Amino acid sequence: MAPYHNLRFKLCVYILSFVLTLFVYSAANAQRNRGMNADGDVLSGSNSSSGGFVNQDGWMIGFNGGYESPLGEVKQSYQGSPTFGVNLFRRMGNLLYSGTVDYRSYKPLANAQQISYDDVDYYTASYSKLKGIGLYLGIAYELPISTDMNVYGGVNGGVVMVSYKITIDDTNFSSTEEVSNAQSTYIAPKVGLNFMLSRSLGMALEGRYSLGTVGANYNSRTGGSVSKGFNSIAGNLFLTYQF
């Protein structure tokens, strides 16, 4: 199980290293461009003029709110929830970089759920809310569709710190499993549309799909298990301020 974990971990490190390498390279070759990006984790900016508001290279801060639905095994026990976060953006030409901290809190589908070991015997499981704090970097490439509007596509990479509690009641035993701030890898392609509202204010709509492909090892009463990375689909609205 250790080699599997190391391979997954190295993949995540390579992706984040690639993002940082592009950032450094672009800083050395930066040029004015156009655009204004927003994303649960993207940036925006650009150059261009001729009517409308002009987007310029530089720094931006942003706030995002939206809705996220879990996928995979988590979807069997939890429903989606609103999400919100804060973002720091850096635009360099057509490349948009971002750093994001966001939060979600999934509610269980039911206060108590019947779960079977073998489709014959059942036990009752009660779930707390599943809370996740996301920490990730992002990179995107944008294409202009007007002087003050563009579309973009990119990827976010980082971790989601997951916390939840499950209480099991059975005729023969009862137990509680609690997970606190377990790191779940987050890799999410994203696409969006952003546009300027004024010289400094912008807005963006973004969709993301977190792949849930990179696993992590967690200790358990049985010695350990492998859990997939964070898997969800989300839509977000961003408000950004360029300074």
Side-chain angles (χ1 to χ4, degrees):
M1 204 161 295
Y4 174 84
H5 171 65
N6 290 336
L7 179 62
R8 300 292 195 174
F9 179 77
K10 288 180 180 179
L11 177 60
C12 181
V13 171
Y14 291 154
I15 291 175
L16 294 180
S17 297
F18 177 70
V19 171
L20 292 176
T21 300
L22 283 179
F23 184 88
V24 173
Y25 176 81
S26 298
N29 299 275
Q31 60 180 358
R32 291 192 59 184
N33 190 51
R34 66 178 143 269
M36 140 115 238
N37 220 1
D39 135 338
D41 194 11
V42 86
L43 169 50
S44 98
S46 163
N47 83 31
S48 206
S49 68
S50 108
F53 297 104
V54 179
N55 295 321
Q56 299 180 347
D57 290 358
W59 293 93
M60 298 191 310
I61 57 173
F63 300 91
N64 70 278
Y67 191 85
E68 184 177 73
S69 294
L71 299 175
E73 295 180 359
V74 177
K75 185 178 180 180
Q76 300 176 15
S77 302
Y78 288 94
Q79 56 185 308
S81 78
T83 63
F84 57 88
V86 294
N87 315 267
L88 177 64
F89 302 121
R90 172 68 171 170
R91 178 173 60 258
M92 294 180 176
N94 290 83
L95 290 176
L96 310 169
Y97 302 92
S98 63
T100 296
V101 178
D102 64 8
Y103 178 82
R104 75 272 294 140
S105 179
Y106 296 159
K107 293 182 179 181
L109 293 175
N111 292 332
Q113 301 179 37
Q114 297 296 312
I115 300 177
S116 174
Y117 293 107
D118 51 14
D119 293 329
V120 176
D121 299 313
Y122 287 81
Y123 64 89
T124 300
S126 300
Y127 293 80
S128 69
K129 290 183 178 180
L130 188 153
K131 300 177 181 179
I133 298 175
L135 304 169
Y136 28 85
L137 302 176
I139 185 172
Y141 187 88
E142 64 179 358
L143 294 173
I145 57 178
S146 71
T147 58
D148 55 5
M149 183 180 299
N150 57 56
V151 294
Y152 64 88
V155 63
N156 293 338
V159 297
V160 177
M161 311 296 287
V162 176
S163 300
Y164 63 88
K165 182 169 68 174
I166 302 176
T167 300
I168 296 175
D169 290 317
D170 187 75
T171 54
N172 299 317
F173 72 95
S174 63
S175 66
T176 297
E177 177 184 1
E178 187 169 1
V179 174
S180 179
N181 293 325
Q183 294 186 17
S184 184
T185 304
Y186 182 90
I187 299 177
K190 60 190 177 185
V191 294
L193 170 69
N194 57 51
F195 47 92
M196 297 299 295
L197 301 175
S198 70
R199 188 174 301 275
S200 299
L201 296 177
M203 178 180 292
L205 297 173
E206 179 185 282
R208 292 182 295 184
Y209 178 80
S210 55
L211 301 176
T213 56
V214 179
N217 291 334
Y218 298 108
N219 292 327
S220 69
R221 289 175 296 129
T222 59
S225 61
V226 176
S227 298
K228 290 184 177 181
F230 198 80
N231 193 200
S232 68
I233 186 170
N236 278 286
L237 171 67
F238 294 84
L239 295 177
T240 59
Y241 176 78
Q242 184 169 333
F243 57 92

